[in-house]
Amino acid sequence: MEDPTISIYTVPDPIRNVDSDAYERRYMTLAIDTPYDLKLKTSKGHDAVLCHAHGHLLSILNWNRALSLNDYMLAMTKLKDQIKGCHHNDITIDSARQVLMIYKSCFIVDVLLLFYEGRLTSSVDSTCGSIYSQILWIDFLLVENQLPFLVLEKVFDMAVVDKSRYPSLVDIALYFFDHFMERDLQKPVMVSKSVHHLLHLVHHHLLPLHPPQHLNQKSHPLTNLIFSKLRSVIPLRHSPPTLLPKHNQAKQLFVIKPIPSAKRLKDTGIKFKKREGTGFQNVCFDSRHGVLEIPSLSIHSNTKILLRNLTAWEQCHSAACAYFTAYAIFMDYIVKTDEDTEILVQSGIIEHSFCSNKDVTPVFNGLSTNLGYIGLEDSFLPHICNELNKYCHNPYHIWWANLMTFYFGNPWTIILATTIIILIVFTFTQTFFSNYSYLGLP
């Protein structure tokens, strides 16, 4: 069984190889198990960014001038065992790596504090100017770019002398991320001791406040998949077919069949409707009226990166709810072509800032490739897939959809059909009264 304290992982190659760029940092490498390298395509290059990062370290030291860099070094030394326990890979924390850890944690905490105070401006950052936070927020949420939250909180506690002026570091971090994504503000804020890292914090607060009972499920990495005793399995796509050991292969599994794309669902008579409220997985299907309700999603340039890192972390962390994994599989099923995207945009389910709807399709294409998913039989994904497949394979629904599409989809066809019906009724009425008169009935 995996150690529950482990929360920082390397993205598995089968997932990374699908879209490796989604897991690469844009500005700065923050994880302590990687070298201290920075990346920014500017005329000043690497040295300018390195000096800028050093400036954030000096800024943290200025927050509390009673403490020196050695004090921070001593604090990190005391946390060494806890920090090592957070990483899936074995790491050695020597003095050089401790310095890097202080640099990176001071960088993150100073950015969050400056943003909270409204001082993260071009006067502070001459390299990136006003787009600084736009670059950094996605770097803070990459699977392989995470620092243990206990490290960030230690730096925050040491730097901020007057705690009465500031909320907790959790609140400050959420304030930062709220400017780039939508979450349910009614959900209670996490206790700092429960937070593994910034990605975990955002993952938790994007979950629904009251998840349906069928969402009490977990995603498992491939190494844990064979030990599962749950009743339903969606195996890894493009993976070896034998995911279960021989003694488990005789078990009856609830296998999920893929659902048709949005275009095919619409051709079967299913209507798409925007569902009010937040929550990716707040999806429902009314089989009685053929209405599929999906919450709206605002798509921007970093949406694909965010979704891929959320699902990748769920794949690695066995204690994480398979919330975004199920959503990724569902959306990858229904969005195959630009026509599918067009249907969801017209229904108000997808909103985007791209120039064309065609730019939205790649966000979902292949989003679930090589993802493993395990859920209960009555969970969101199996339930929706089964209901939609059942509806689509019903001969009556197919007949009715074809009738409405090919015979009543054109207004002139409707006018013609109505005219024919009126003529038939008129002819019948005329015939009836003619016979009525002929027979001489009173």
Side-chain angles (χ1 to χ4, degrees):
M1 173 131 351
E2 186 180 21
D3 187 342
T5 61
I6 296 175
S7 60
I8 299 177
Y9 307 89
T10 300
V11 178
D13 287 339
I15 298 177
R16 168 181 284 281
N17 293 339
V18 176
D19 187 0
S20 59
D21 192 55
Y23 310 101
E24 297 291 336
R25 83 282 187 274
R26 270 59 184 162
Y27 180 70
M28 180 179 181
T29 299
L30 300 170
I32 62 175
D33 57 344
T34 53
Y36 183 62
D37 59 327
L38 298 163
K39 174 185 178 183
L40 186 66
K41 295 180 180 179
T42 63
S43 57
K44 296 182 180 180
H46 176 89
D47 293 337
V49 184
L50 181 60
C51 292
H52 174 64
H54 182 71
H56 280 288
L57 172 63
L58 297 178
S59 176
I60 285 293
L61 294 176
N62 286 331
W63 280 83
N64 186 358
R65 298 186 180 183
L67 299 178
S68 65
L69 182 59
N70 288 333
D71 293 313
Y72 286 89
M73 284 284 290
L74 180 61
M76 294 304 154
T77 302
K78 295 179 179 179
L79 295 174
K80 184 184 298 186
D81 292 338
Q82 290 178 263
I83 295 170
K84 291 177 63 176
C86 295
H87 290 77
H88 185 265
N89 299 325
D90 292 332
I91 60 172
T92 301
I93 304 179
D94 52 18
S95 58
R97 198 176 289 268
Q98 282 184 253
V99 173
L100 298 182
M101 184 164 49
I102 292 172
Y103 259 88
K104 295 175 180 183
S105 57
C106 288
F107 178 89
I108 295 174
V109 173
D110 193 47
V111 166
L112 296 179
L113 285 171
L114 290 175
F115 189 88
Y116 180 77
E117 292 193 332
R119 296 195 290 124
L120 192 65
T121 62
S122 57
S123 61
V124 176
D125 174 41
S126 59
T127 305
C128 296
S130 60
I131 66 169
Y132 191 35
S133 56
Q134 293 283 348
I135 297 175
L136 288 180
W137 82 271
I138 199 66
D139 267 8
F140 286 175
L141 298 179
L142 300 179
V143 171
E144 299 179 345
N145 223 18
Q146 298 304 308
L147 277 175
F149 196 79
L150 61 94
V151 174
L152 303 181
E153 192 163 45
K154 173 57 70 174
V155 171
F156 174 79
D157 289 339
M158 295 176 68
V160 178
V161 179
D162 187 2
K163 297 295 192 298
S164 62
R165 290 182 51 195
Y166 302 93
S168 67
L169 182 60
V170 170
D171 288 301
I172 293 175
L174 288 175
Y175 176 81
F176 176 80
F177 290 116
D178 282 345
H179 287 73
F180 310 105
M181 62 186 69
E182 183 180 359
R183 66 180 176 92
D184 189 349
L185 298 178
Q186 301 299 320
K187 189 168 186 176
V189 175
M190 286 187 76
V191 180
S192 60
K193 292 183 179 180
S194 302
V195 181
H196 296 309
H197 41 65
L198 293 177
L199 178 60
H200 175 223
L201 177 68
V202 169
H203 179 277
H204 174 83
H205 284 277
L206 287 178
L207 298 178
L209 177 60
H210 301 293
Q213 186 176 2
H214 59 246
L215 294 185
N216 295 329
Q217 56 189 330
K218 301 181 184 301
S219 62
H220 294 256
L222 180 58
T223 53
N224 291 340
L225 188 61
I226 60 175
F227 301 106
S228 173
K229 295 182 180 179
L230 299 177
R231 289 179 293 165
S232 64
V233 174
I234 297 180
L236 292 176
R237 299 172 68 181
H238 312 301
S239 62
T242 54
L243 295 178
L244 295 174
K246 292 182 178 180
H247 64 275
N248 278 344
Q249 288 180 359
K251 293 179 62 177
Q252 291 185 350
L253 300 176
F254 190 79
V255 180
I256 309 303
K257 293 182 179 180
I259 57 176
S261 64
K263 174 67 167 56
R264 290 182 57 195
L265 290 174
K266 184 178 180 180
D267 290 342
T268 314
I270 292 176
K271 297 175 283 294
F272 290 84
K273 182 180 178 182
K274 171 185 173 182
R275 187 164 193 183
E276 299 300 326
T278 59
F280 285 97
Q281 224 176 33
N282 192 19
V283 180
C284 71
F285 176 60
D286 182 0
S287 57
R288 183 177 179 183
H289 300 96
V291 178
L292 178 61
E293 293 189 48
I294 306 174
S296 64
L297 177 65
S298 180
I299 305 292
H300 49 75
S301 57
N302 290 320
T303 300
K304 181 172 70 170
I305 299 175
L306 178 61
L307 287 175
R308 286 194 177 276
N309 279 272
L310 287 168
T311 54
W313 187 69
E314 288 181 351
Q315 293 297 292
C316 297
H317 195 64
S318 61
C321 175
Y323 186 77
F324 294 97
T325 300
Y327 181 79
I329 294 172
F330 175 74
M331 293 302 292
D332 195 8
Y333 279 157
I334 67 173
V335 179
K336 297 297 183 184
T337 66
D338 295 335
E339 286 184 286
D340 301 322
T341 302
E342 189 75 27
I343 292 171
L344 298 183
V345 171
Q346 291 178 353
S347 304
I349 294 171
I350 289 180
E351 302 173 355
H352 65 87
S353 56
F354 296 121
C355 297
S356 170
N357 291 338
K358 295 181 179 179
D359 298 326
V360 178
T361 308
V363 174
F364 300 104
N365 283 166
L367 188 61
S368 66
T369 301
N370 289 348
L371 295 185
Y373 177 82
I374 302 175
L376 298 177
E377 183 175 345
D378 59 347
S379 63
F380 152 76
L381 192 59
H383 175 73
I384 291 293
C385 289
N386 289 342
E387 289 296 314
L388 288 172
N389 280 319
K390 187 186 301 183
Y391 188 95
C392 291
H393 289 91
N394 188 314
Y396 169 76
H397 295 146
I398 297 175
W399 173 82
W400 181 255
N402 290 334
L403 178 66
M404 299 303 296
T405 301
F406 296 107
Y407 295 99
F408 296 101
N410 190 313
W412 292 108
T413 305
I414 297 175
I415 294 174
L416 179 61
T418 304
T419 303
I420 293 174
I421 292 174
I422 293 174
L423 288 174
I424 292 174
V425 172
F426 179 78
T427 302
F428 174 79
T429 304
Q430 186 180 30
T431 302
F432 173 78
F433 281 108
S434 297
N435 293 334
Y436 185 88
S437 174
Y438 175 78
L439 294 175
L441 298 174

